[in-house]
């Protein structure tokens, strides 16, 4: 299993692949997830990496973050968080 610290470093590096529009969306999502204190750091970073992977793949197909995840990163994050075990 990759540790949270390594995931953060990978995440920071991979975000450079995003378009400015998708990077802004993802940053909003990232901040919202990281500010949820009841999520473990490991859990948060795994979710963020998974979302980033999906976003980069979608971007390669010409899609924006809003087209993939919806127009509201906060709502999308809330839906994901709701599904996680506490």
């Amino acid at each position: 299993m990759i540790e949270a610290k390594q995931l953060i470093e990978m995440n920071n590096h991979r975000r450079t692949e995003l378009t400015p529009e998708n990077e802004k969306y993802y940053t909003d999502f990232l901040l919202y997830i990281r500010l949820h204190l009841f999520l473990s750091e490991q859990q948060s970073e795994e979710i963020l990496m998974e979302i980033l992977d999906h976003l980069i793949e979608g971007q390669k197909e010409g899609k924006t973050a809003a087209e993939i995840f919806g127009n509201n990163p906060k709502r999308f994050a809330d839906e994901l968080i709701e599904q996680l075990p506490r």
Side-chain angles (χ1 to χ4, degrees):
M1 180 189 318
I2 299 174
E3 292 182 21
K5 189 174 187 175
Q6 291 171 306
L7 286 170
I8 291 168
E9 289 173 13
M10 289 170 55
N11 188 304
N12 289 338
H13 176 71
R14 297 231 32 227
R15 279 198 324 244
T16 63
E17 298 176 41
L18 296 174
T19 64
E21 177 186 3
N22 285 345
E23 204 279 329
K24 182 188 178 327
Y25 183 105
Y26 182 76
T27 297
D28 289 346
F29 179 81
L30 177 144
L31 291 171
Y32 190 72
I33 291 289
R34 285 185 177 164
L35 290 175
H36 271 79
L37 301 177
F38 66 86
L39 295 175
S40 74
E41 182 180 38
Q42 182 72 32
Q43 192 175 36
S44 297
E45 296 308 321
E46 288 172 359
I47 290 168
L48 290 169
M49 186 56 71
E50 187 174 322
I51 296 304
L52 181 57
D53 288 342
H54 286 300
L55 181 52
I56 289 171
E57 285 303 311
Q59 182 177 277
K60 288 177 184 176
E61 298 170 5
K63 297 178 182 175
T64 66
E67 290 173 323
I68 298 167
F69 303 119
N71 291 321
N72 188 332
K74 181 185 178 301
R75 184 173 349 139
F76 176 64
D78 284 339
E79 290 171 5
L80 278 178
I81 291 167
E82 249 180 52
Q83 297 174 23
L84 296 173
R86 300 208 178 212

